[in-house]
Amino acid sequence: MKVLVIGGGAREHALCRSLSLDPDVTALYCAPGNAGIAEVAELHPVDILDGDAVARLATDLGAELVVVGPEAPLVAGVADAVRAAGIPCFGPSGEAALLEGSKAFAKDVMAGAGVPTARSYICTTPAEIDEALDAFGAPYVVKDDGLAAGKGVVVTEDVETARAHALACDRVVIEEFLDGPEVSLFAITDGTTVLPLRPAQDFKRALDDDEGPNTGGMGAYSPLPWADPKLVDEVLESVLQPTVDELRRRGTPFSGLLYAGLAITSRGVRVIEFNARFGDPETQVVLARLRTPLAGVLLASANGTLDELPPLNWSDEAAVTVVIASHNYPGTPRTGDPIEGLDDVAAQDAPHAYVLHAGTRKEGDTVVSAGGRVLSVTATGENLAAARERAYTAAARIRLDGSQFRTDIARKAAEA
Protein backbone atom coordinates (compact mmCIF):
# COMPACT_ATOMS: atom_id res chain seq x y z
CA MET A 1 0.00 0.00 0.00
CA LYS A 2 1.20 3.51 -0.90
CA VAL A 3 0.21 6.02 1.80
CA LEU A 4 0.18 9.83 1.73
CA VAL A 5 -0.01 11.70 5.06
CA ILE A 6 -1.13 15.35 5.02
CA GLY A 7 0.40 17.70 7.59
CA GLY A 8 3.72 18.65 9.08
CA GLY A 9 3.64 18.42 12.87
CA ALA A 10 4.56 15.94 15.59
CA ARG A 11 1.21 14.19 15.19
CA GLU A 12 2.03 13.54 11.53
CA HIS A 13 5.56 12.43 12.45
CA ALA A 14 4.04 9.93 14.91
CA LEU A 15 1.66 8.69 12.21
CA CYS A 16 4.47 8.44 9.66
CA ARG A 17 6.71 6.63 12.12
CA SER A 18 4.04 4.00 12.79
CA LEU A 19 3.22 3.66 9.09
CA SER A 20 6.92 3.31 8.23
CA LEU A 21 7.10 0.31 10.58
CA ASP A 22 4.07 -1.33 8.91
CA PRO A 23 5.21 -4.13 6.54
CA ASP A 24 2.17 -3.50 4.31
CA VAL A 25 3.30 0.06 3.53
CA THR A 26 5.42 -0.08 0.37
CA ALA A 27 5.77 3.68 -0.13
CA LEU A 28 5.22 6.53 2.35
CA TYR A 29 4.77 10.16 1.41
CA CYS A 30 4.07 13.26 3.50
CA ALA A 31 3.00 16.74 2.42
CA PRO A 32 4.44 19.08 3.43
CA GLY A 33 6.17 17.22 6.31
CA ASN A 34 9.11 18.51 8.32
CA ALA A 35 12.81 17.80 8.91
CA GLY A 36 12.13 14.72 11.05
CA ILE A 37 9.43 13.22 8.84
CA ALA A 38 11.89 13.44 5.94
CA GLU A 39 13.82 10.58 7.56
CA VAL A 40 10.90 8.13 7.18
CA ALA A 41 8.81 9.53 4.31
CA GLU A 42 9.27 11.24 0.94
CA LEU A 43 8.21 14.89 1.28
CA HIS A 44 6.14 16.87 -1.23
CA PRO A 45 4.99 20.50 -1.12
CA VAL A 46 1.25 21.15 -1.11
CA ASP A 47 -1.28 23.68 0.16
CA ILE A 48 -2.97 21.43 2.72
CA LEU A 49 -6.16 23.55 2.62
CA ASP A 50 -6.56 23.06 -1.15
CA GLY A 51 -8.52 19.84 -1.59
CA ASP A 52 -8.02 19.72 -5.36
CA ALA A 53 -4.25 20.14 -4.96
CA VAL A 54 -4.10 17.37 -2.34
CA ALA A 55 -6.21 15.06 -4.55
CA ARG A 56 -3.95 15.77 -7.56
CA LEU A 57 -0.85 15.02 -5.52
CA ALA A 58 -2.36 11.77 -4.23
CA THR A 59 -3.30 10.77 -7.79
CA ASP A 60 0.16 11.62 -9.15
CA LEU A 61 1.81 9.56 -6.41
CA GLY A 62 -0.51 6.60 -6.93
CA ALA A 63 -1.52 6.79 -3.27
CA GLU A 64 -3.90 4.05 -2.15
CA LEU A 65 -4.68 5.74 1.18
CA VAL A 66 -4.56 9.41 2.21
CA VAL A 67 -4.39 10.26 5.91
CA VAL A 68 -5.34 13.87 6.75
CA GLY A 69 -3.68 14.89 10.01
CA PRO A 70 -4.70 18.46 11.01
CA GLU A 71 -8.17 19.83 11.65
CA ALA A 72 -8.11 22.83 9.29
CA PRO A 73 -7.94 20.81 6.03
CA LEU A 74 -10.64 18.46 7.33
CA VAL A 75 -13.01 21.36 8.03
CA ALA A 76 -12.06 22.76 4.60
CA GLY A 77 -13.31 19.55 2.97
CA VAL A 78 -10.00 18.11 1.83
CA ALA A 79 -11.11 14.55 2.60
CA ASP A 80 -14.15 15.06 0.37
CA ALA A 81 -11.93 16.10 -2.55
CA VAL A 82 -9.68 13.07 -2.09
CA ARG A 83 -12.63 10.68 -1.98
CA ALA A 84 -14.13 12.37 -5.05
CA ALA A 85 -10.90 11.46 -6.86
CA GLY A 86 -11.58 7.81 -6.02
CA ILE A 87 -8.89 7.45 -3.35
CA PRO A 88 -9.66 6.06 0.13
CA CYS A 89 -9.17 8.77 2.75
CA PHE A 90 -8.86 8.58 6.53
CA GLY A 91 -10.65 11.64 7.87
CA PRO A 92 -14.20 12.97 8.11
CA SER A 93 -16.04 15.01 5.50
CA GLY A 94 -16.10 18.77 5.83
CA GLU A 95 -19.67 18.60 7.14
CA ALA A 96 -18.85 15.95 9.77
CA ALA A 97 -15.63 17.76 10.77
CA LEU A 98 -17.82 20.63 11.99
CA LEU A 99 -17.94 18.55 15.16
CA GLU A 100 -14.58 20.22 15.82
CA GLY A 101 -14.99 23.24 13.54
CA SER A 102 -17.95 24.60 15.53
CA LYS A 103 -18.39 24.20 19.27
CA ALA A 104 -22.05 25.17 18.83
CA PHE A 105 -22.60 22.38 16.27
CA ALA A 106 -20.93 19.90 18.62
CA LYS A 107 -23.25 20.95 21.46
CA ASP A 108 -26.26 20.47 19.19
CA VAL A 109 -25.08 16.98 18.18
CA MET A 110 -24.48 16.04 21.82
CA ALA A 111 -27.97 17.22 22.74
CA GLY A 112 -29.46 15.11 19.97
CA ALA A 113 -27.39 12.08 20.97
CA GLY A 114 -28.03 12.42 24.70
CA VAL A 115 -24.30 12.76 25.40
CA PRO A 116 -23.39 14.20 28.83
CA THR A 117 -21.60 17.56 28.58
CA ALA A 118 -21.33 20.92 30.33
CA ARG A 119 -24.30 23.30 30.33
CA SER A 120 -23.53 26.18 28.00
CA TYR A 121 -24.66 29.38 26.30
CA ILE A 122 -23.86 30.36 22.72
CA CYS A 123 -23.25 34.12 22.60
CA THR A 124 -22.86 36.64 19.79
CA THR A 125 -23.44 39.98 21.58
CA PRO A 126 -21.81 41.70 24.58
CA ALA A 127 -25.09 41.52 26.48
CA GLU A 128 -25.35 37.75 25.94
CA ILE A 129 -21.72 37.34 27.02
CA ASP A 130 -22.27 39.27 30.27
CA GLU A 131 -25.43 37.30 31.01
CA ALA A 132 -23.67 33.96 30.50
CA LEU A 133 -20.61 34.90 32.57
CA ASP A 134 -22.90 36.07 35.37
CA ALA A 135 -24.99 32.89 35.18
CA PHE A 136 -22.07 30.50 35.64
CA GLY A 137 -19.65 32.52 37.77
CA ALA A 138 -15.97 31.67 38.30
CA PRO A 139 -14.04 29.78 37.14
CA TYR A 140 -15.10 31.02 33.71
CA VAL A 141 -14.82 28.73 30.66
CA VAL A 142 -14.87 30.67 27.37
CA LYS A 143 -14.45 28.90 24.01
CA ASP A 144 -14.10 30.40 20.55
CA ASP A 145 -16.77 28.67 18.46
CA GLY A 146 -14.39 28.13 15.52
CA LEU A 147 -10.99 26.54 15.01
CA ALA A 148 -8.20 28.13 17.05
CA ALA A 149 -5.34 25.61 16.83
CA GLY A 150 -5.87 24.45 20.41
CA LYS A 151 -5.63 27.98 21.82
CA GLY A 152 -9.25 29.14 21.61
CA VAL A 153 -10.19 28.21 25.18
CA VAL A 154 -9.68 30.43 28.22
CA VAL A 155 -10.30 29.13 31.75
CA THR A 156 -9.90 31.89 34.31
CA GLU A 157 -11.05 33.19 37.67
CA ASP A 158 -10.90 36.76 36.34
CA VAL A 159 -14.13 37.96 34.76
CA GLU A 160 -12.40 40.72 32.75
CA THR A 161 -10.00 38.22 31.16
CA ALA A 162 -12.97 35.99 30.33
CA ARG A 163 -14.95 38.89 28.88
CA ALA A 164 -12.01 40.12 26.78
CA HIS A 165 -11.54 36.69 25.20
CA ALA A 166 -15.27 36.36 24.54
CA LEU A 167 -15.48 39.80 22.89
CA ALA A 168 -12.55 38.89 20.61
CA CYS A 169 -14.54 35.98 19.15
CA ASP A 170 -17.25 36.29 16.50
CA ARG A 171 -19.32 33.62 18.23
CA VAL A 172 -18.43 32.16 21.60
CA VAL A 173 -19.52 29.27 23.79
CA ILE A 174 -19.53 30.01 27.54
CA GLU A 175 -20.08 26.98 29.73
CA GLU A 176 -20.00 25.69 33.27
CA PHE A 177 -16.65 24.62 34.69
CA LEU A 178 -16.22 20.86 34.94
CA ASP A 179 -14.31 19.57 37.96
CA GLY A 180 -12.11 16.46 37.98
CA PRO A 181 -9.22 15.07 35.94
CA GLU A 182 -9.26 15.23 32.14
CA VAL A 183 -8.87 12.28 29.78
CA SER A 184 -8.34 12.11 26.03
CA LEU A 185 -9.92 9.12 24.33
CA PHE A 186 -9.49 8.52 20.60
CA ALA A 187 -11.72 6.25 18.57
CA ILE A 188 -11.37 5.14 14.97
CA THR A 189 -14.72 4.87 13.22
CA ASP A 190 -16.10 4.19 9.75
CA GLY A 191 -19.38 5.90 10.50
CA THR A 192 -20.98 2.82 12.03
CA THR A 193 -18.43 0.74 13.93
CA VAL A 194 -16.46 2.54 16.66
CA LEU A 195 -13.06 1.23 17.72
CA PRO A 196 -11.76 2.99 20.85
CA LEU A 197 -8.01 3.31 21.39
CA ARG A 198 -6.26 3.52 24.77
CA PRO A 199 -6.85 6.64 26.87
CA ALA A 200 -4.19 9.27 27.49
CA GLN A 201 -3.85 12.47 29.47
CA ASP A 202 -2.27 15.65 28.14
CA PHE A 203 -1.02 18.82 29.84
CA LYS A 204 -2.40 22.05 28.40
CA ARG A 205 -0.79 24.69 30.58
CA ALA A 206 2.61 26.04 29.62
CA LEU A 207 4.29 25.72 33.02
CA ASP A 208 4.79 23.13 35.76
CA ASP A 209 1.94 22.48 38.19
CA ASP A 210 -0.58 23.58 35.53
CA GLU A 211 0.42 27.23 35.71
CA GLY A 212 0.66 29.69 32.85
CA PRO A 213 -1.41 30.10 29.69
CA ASN A 214 -3.14 27.38 27.70
CA THR A 215 -1.11 25.82 24.89
CA GLY A 216 -1.62 23.21 22.20
CA GLY A 217 -0.25 20.66 24.71
CA MET A 218 3.08 20.33 26.53
CA GLY A 219 3.18 16.57 27.07
CA ALA A 220 1.13 13.42 27.54
CA TYR A 221 1.18 9.92 28.97
CA SER A 222 -0.59 6.57 28.66
CA PRO A 223 -1.90 4.40 30.30
CA LEU A 224 -3.78 6.10 33.14
CA PRO A 225 -3.24 3.94 36.23
CA TRP A 226 -5.75 5.96 38.24
CA ALA A 227 -8.62 5.57 35.77
CA ASP A 228 -11.48 3.12 36.20
CA PRO A 229 -10.74 -0.02 34.12
CA LYS A 230 -14.29 0.22 32.74
CA LEU A 231 -13.82 3.83 31.57
CA VAL A 232 -13.29 3.04 27.87
CA ASP A 233 -16.34 0.78 27.68
CA GLU A 234 -18.43 3.39 29.50
CA VAL A 235 -17.35 6.20 27.17
CA LEU A 236 -17.92 4.02 24.11
CA GLU A 237 -21.48 3.34 25.27
CA SER A 238 -22.43 6.80 26.53
CA VAL A 239 -20.43 9.14 24.28
CA LEU A 240 -18.67 7.73 21.21
CA GLN A 241 -21.25 5.35 19.75
CA PRO A 242 -24.23 7.70 20.33
CA THR A 243 -22.34 10.57 18.67
CA VAL A 244 -21.44 8.49 15.61
CA ASP A 245 -25.03 7.18 15.42
CA GLU A 246 -26.45 10.71 15.67
CA LEU A 247 -24.22 12.06 12.89
CA ARG A 248 -25.19 9.14 10.65
CA ARG A 249 -28.87 9.78 11.45
CA ARG A 250 -28.43 13.42 10.37
CA GLY A 251 -27.02 12.32 7.01
CA THR A 252 -23.44 13.44 7.83
CA PRO A 253 -21.72 10.16 8.74
CA PHE A 254 -18.40 10.60 10.52
CA SER A 255 -15.52 8.37 9.45
CA GLY A 256 -11.98 8.90 10.67
CA LEU A 257 -10.69 9.74 14.13
CA LEU A 258 -13.20 10.91 16.74
CA TYR A 259 -11.42 12.45 19.72
CA ALA A 260 -13.36 12.93 22.94
CA GLY A 261 -11.89 15.30 25.50
CA LEU A 262 -13.46 14.21 28.78
CA ALA A 263 -13.73 15.40 32.37
CA ILE A 264 -14.16 12.71 35.02
CA THR A 265 -16.37 14.78 37.31
CA SER A 266 -17.98 14.04 40.66
CA ARG A 267 -21.22 13.52 38.69
CA GLY A 268 -19.69 11.18 36.12
CA VAL A 269 -18.04 11.50 32.71
CA ARG A 270 -18.72 14.73 30.80
CA VAL A 271 -17.53 15.72 27.31
CA ILE A 272 -15.43 18.88 27.27
CA GLU A 273 -14.99 18.92 23.51
CA PHE A 274 -14.79 16.78 20.39
CA ASN A 275 -12.00 16.88 17.85
CA ALA A 276 -12.14 15.38 14.37
CA ARG A 277 -8.54 14.16 14.20
CA PHE A 278 -5.72 12.64 16.21
CA GLY A 279 -4.72 14.93 19.08
CA ASP A 280 -1.22 16.27 19.60
CA PRO A 281 0.61 15.30 21.86
CA GLU A 282 -1.61 12.34 22.87
CA THR A 283 -1.10 10.62 19.50
CA GLN A 284 2.59 10.29 20.26
CA VAL A 285 1.97 8.13 23.36
CA VAL A 286 -1.06 6.21 22.08
CA LEU A 287 0.67 5.11 18.88
CA ALA A 288 3.82 4.25 20.85
CA ARG A 289 1.74 1.56 22.59
CA LEU A 290 -0.16 0.24 19.54
CA ARG A 291 1.21 -3.07 18.26
CA THR A 292 -1.34 -3.69 15.48
CA PRO A 293 0.04 -2.37 12.14
CA LEU A 294 -1.59 1.00 11.56
CA ALA A 295 -2.23 1.20 7.81
CA GLY A 296 -4.79 -1.61 7.71
CA VAL A 297 -6.80 -0.07 10.54
CA LEU A 298 -6.92 3.36 8.87
CA LEU A 299 -7.83 1.79 5.52
CA ALA A 300 -10.65 -0.20 7.14
CA SER A 301 -12.03 3.08 8.50
CA ALA A 302 -11.85 4.66 5.05
CA ASN A 303 -13.47 1.64 3.38
CA GLY A 304 -16.20 1.01 5.97
CA THR A 305 -14.90 -2.41 7.03
CA LEU A 306 -13.85 -1.83 10.65
CA ASP A 307 -16.24 -4.55 11.82
CA GLU A 308 -14.09 -7.12 10.00
CA LEU A 309 -10.91 -6.30 11.95
CA PRO A 310 -9.65 -8.49 14.81
CA PRO A 311 -9.20 -6.73 18.19
CA LEU A 312 -6.30 -4.29 18.38
CA ASN A 313 -3.08 -5.48 19.98
CA TRP A 314 -1.54 -3.22 22.62
CA SER A 315 1.77 -3.15 24.47
CA ASP A 316 1.64 -3.37 28.26
CA GLU A 317 4.37 -0.72 28.39
CA ALA A 318 3.78 2.89 29.34
CA ALA A 319 4.62 5.87 27.15
CA VAL A 320 5.45 9.49 28.00
CA THR A 321 5.92 12.47 25.67
CA VAL A 322 7.62 15.73 26.67
CA VAL A 323 7.15 18.70 24.33
CA ILE A 324 10.10 21.03 23.82
CA ALA A 325 8.79 24.47 22.90
CA SER A 326 10.53 27.51 21.51
CA HIS A 327 11.32 30.78 23.26
CA ASN A 328 8.17 32.73 24.26
CA TYR A 329 5.68 29.95 23.37
CA PRO A 330 2.63 30.14 23.42
CA GLY A 331 3.12 33.81 22.59
CA THR A 332 4.86 34.76 19.35
CA PRO A 333 7.56 32.07 19.18
CA ARG A 334 11.10 32.69 18.05
CA THR A 335 12.10 30.53 15.09
CA GLY A 336 15.24 29.78 13.11
CA ASP A 337 17.33 28.62 16.07
CA PRO A 338 19.59 25.60 15.41
CA ILE A 339 18.67 22.34 17.19
CA GLU A 340 21.51 20.19 18.49
CA GLY A 341 21.56 16.81 20.20
CA LEU A 342 19.19 14.91 17.89
CA ASP A 343 21.94 12.49 16.85
CA ASP A 344 22.86 11.99 20.51
CA VAL A 345 19.33 10.82 21.32
CA ALA A 346 19.31 8.47 18.32
CA ALA A 347 22.67 7.01 19.33
CA GLN A 348 22.15 6.70 23.08
CA ASP A 349 18.42 6.38 23.79
CA ALA A 350 16.90 4.43 20.89
CA PRO A 351 14.79 2.36 20.60
CA HIS A 352 13.16 3.19 23.96
CA ALA A 353 13.24 6.96 23.39
CA TYR A 354 13.04 8.95 20.18
CA VAL A 355 12.32 12.46 18.95
CA LEU A 356 9.27 13.37 16.89
CA HIS A 357 9.53 16.69 15.06
CA ALA A 358 6.77 19.31 15.25
CA GLY A 359 8.01 22.75 14.17
CA THR A 360 11.31 22.09 12.39
CA ARG A 361 12.89 22.64 8.99
CA LYS A 362 16.25 22.01 7.36
CA GLU A 363 18.68 24.85 6.56
CA GLY A 364 21.49 23.13 4.71
CA ASP A 365 22.57 20.31 7.00
CA THR A 366 21.21 22.02 10.12
CA VAL A 367 17.79 21.39 11.66
CA VAL A 368 16.29 24.64 12.96
CA SER A 369 13.14 25.56 14.88
CA ALA A 370 10.15 26.58 12.77
CA GLY A 371 7.23 26.84 15.19
CA GLY A 372 6.06 27.14 18.77
CA ARG A 373 6.11 23.48 19.69
CA VAL A 374 9.35 22.22 18.19
CA LEU A 375 9.89 18.60 19.28
CA SER A 376 8.08 15.79 21.09
CA VAL A 377 10.49 13.57 22.99
CA THR A 378 8.71 10.22 23.39
CA ALA A 379 9.77 7.22 25.46
CA THR A 380 8.40 3.86 26.52
CA GLY A 381 9.13 1.79 29.61
CA GLU A 382 7.78 -1.01 31.78
CA ASN A 383 5.87 1.60 33.80
CA LEU A 384 5.29 5.35 33.79
CA ALA A 385 8.28 6.03 36.05
CA ALA A 386 10.64 4.22 33.67
CA ALA A 387 9.14 5.85 30.56
CA ARG A 388 9.29 9.24 32.23
CA GLU A 389 12.94 8.86 33.20
CA ARG A 390 13.85 7.87 29.64
CA ALA A 391 11.90 10.77 28.14
CA TYR A 392 13.57 13.37 30.36
CA THR A 393 17.02 11.82 29.90
CA ALA A 394 16.56 12.17 26.15
CA ALA A 395 15.07 15.67 26.40
CA ALA A 396 18.11 16.83 28.37
CA ARG A 397 20.33 16.00 25.38
CA ILE A 398 18.47 18.48 23.13
CA ARG A 399 20.02 21.92 22.84
CA LEU A 400 17.82 24.72 21.52
CA ASP A 401 18.49 28.28 22.63
CA GLY A 402 15.71 29.69 24.80
CA SER A 403 13.66 26.50 24.67
CA GLN A 404 11.37 25.34 27.45
CA PHE A 405 9.66 22.18 28.60
CA ARG A 406 7.61 21.14 31.60
CA THR A 407 9.38 18.95 34.15
CA ASP A 408 6.26 17.40 35.67
CA ILE A 409 4.70 15.44 32.79
CA ALA A 410 3.20 12.21 34.25
CA ARG A 411 4.89 12.83 37.60
CA LYS A 412 1.80 12.47 39.79
CA ALA A 413 0.58 9.40 37.92
CA ALA A 414 4.02 7.78 38.10
CA GLU A 415 4.22 8.37 41.87
CA ALA A 416 0.68 7.20 42.61
Side-chain angles (χ1 to χ4, degrees), residues 258-283:
L258 178 58
Y259 165 148
L262 309 164
I264 313 302
T265 76
S266 53
R267 295 170 292 152
V269 173
R270 297 288 185 273
V271 175
I272 301 169
E273 64 176 356
F274 282 125
N275 291 333
R277 39 73 195 180
F278 279 104
D280 181 345
E282 300 98 321
T283 301

Side-chain angles (χ1 to χ4, degrees), residues 217-256:
M218 294 299 290
Y221 70 94
S222 180
L224 311 181
W226 48 268
D228 187 326
K230 297 192 288 289
L231 175 66
V232 173
D233 290 339
E234 179 189 337
V235 174
L236 175 62
E237 184 179 330
S238 66
V239 173
L240 299 170
Q241 191 71 57
T243 300
V244 169
D245 292 346
E246 173 68 10
L247 284 164
R248 189 176 66 252
R249 187 188 68 77
R250 291 174 176 227
T252 53
F254 187 107
S255 75

Side-chain angles (χ1 to χ4, degrees), residues 17 35 55 114 119 151 199 256 287 316 391:
R17 179 182 183 273
R119 292 181 297 118
K151 304 185 196 74
L287 291 185
D316 291 330

Side-chain angles (χ1 to χ4, degrees), residues 84-339:
I87 301 169
C89 185
F90 180 80
S93 67
E95 279 190 285
L98 272 179
L99 199 64
E100 175 168 6
S102 167
K103 302 287 191 299
F105 176 74
K107 289 288 187 183
D108 188 60
V109 170
M110 283 188 267
V115 168
T117 186
R119 292 181 297 118
S120 63
Y121 292 99
I122 297 161
C123 307
T124 55
T125 68
E128 290 174 345
I129 287 167
D130 288 341
E131 185 180 343
L133 292 173
D134 187 55
F136 287 129
Y140 302 98
V141 181
V142 184
K143 299 180 175 182
D144 190 334
D145 179 56
L147 292 181
K151 304 185 196 74
V153 179
V154 166
V155 181
T156 178
E157 296 280 346
D158 181 62
V159 69
E160 292 306 322
T161 301
R163 181 180 287 112
H165 181 63
L167 290 171
C169 304
D170 288 334
R171 183 158 77 153
V172 66
V173 176
I174 297 174
E175 62 184 37
E176 67 176 326
F177 177 77
L178 296 175
D179 64 325
E182 295 185 12
V183 173
S184 300
L185 184 61
F186 301 162
I188 292 172
T189 178
D190 57 12
T192 302
T193 301
V194 182
L195 194 63
L197 305 185
R198 291 294 163 89
Q201 186 175 62
D202 78 330
F203 294 75
K204 287 290 187 206
R205 298 285 187 170
L207 307 175
D208 283 5
D209 300 316
D210 294 325
E211 299 287 340
N214 260 357
T215 71
M218 294 299 290
Y221 70 94
S222 180
L224 311 181
W226 48 268
D228 187 326
K230 297 192 288 289
L231 175 66
V232 173
D233 290 339
E234 179 189 337
V235 174
L236 175 62
E237 184 179 330
S238 66
V239 173
L240 299 170
Q241 191 71 57
T243 300
V244 169
D245 292 346
E246 173 68 10
L247 284 164
R248 189 176 66 252
R249 187 188 68 77
R250 291 174 176 227
T252 53
F254 187 107
S255 75
L257 195 290
L258 178 58
Y259 165 148
L262 309 164
I264 313 302
T265 76
S266 53
R267 295 170 292 152
V269 173
R270 297 288 185 273
V271 175
I272 301 169
E273 64 176 356
F274 282 125
N275 291 333
R277 39 73 195 180
F278 279 104
D280 181 345
E282 300 98 321
T283 301
Q284 290 86 302
V285 292
V286 172
L287 291 185
R289 301 184 59 218
L290 180 64
R291 290 288 168 263
T292 300
L294 184 60
V297 182
L298 303 186
L299 184 64
S301 166
N303 287 339
T305 56
L306 273 179
D307 61 331
E308 299 173 13
L309 286 186
L312 297 178
N313 182 21
W314 294 93
S315 166
D316 291 330
E317 287 196 319
V320 172
T321 284
V322 177
V323 170
I324 297 179
S326 57
H327 177 74
N328 198 42
Y329 179 77
T332 304
R334 192 174 76 203
T335 60
D337 290 311
I339 302 167

Side-chain angles (χ1 to χ4, degrees), residues 17-78:
R17 179 182 183 273
S18 291
L19 290 165
S20 73
L21 298 173
D22 186 332
D24 287 336
V25 176
T26 53
L28 182 59
Y29 311 103
C30 188
N34 61 39
I37 295 174
E39 297 177 9
V40 295
E42 182 179 300
L43 302 191
H44 291 268
V46 78
D47 177 355
I48 66 171
L49 298 179
D50 185 337
D52 291 337
V54 172
R56 277 196 305 273
L57 175 62
T59 301
D60 292 345
L61 293 172
E64 294 153 291
L65 173 66
V66 174
V67 180
V68 183
E71 60 274 22
L74 290 168
V75 173
V78 167

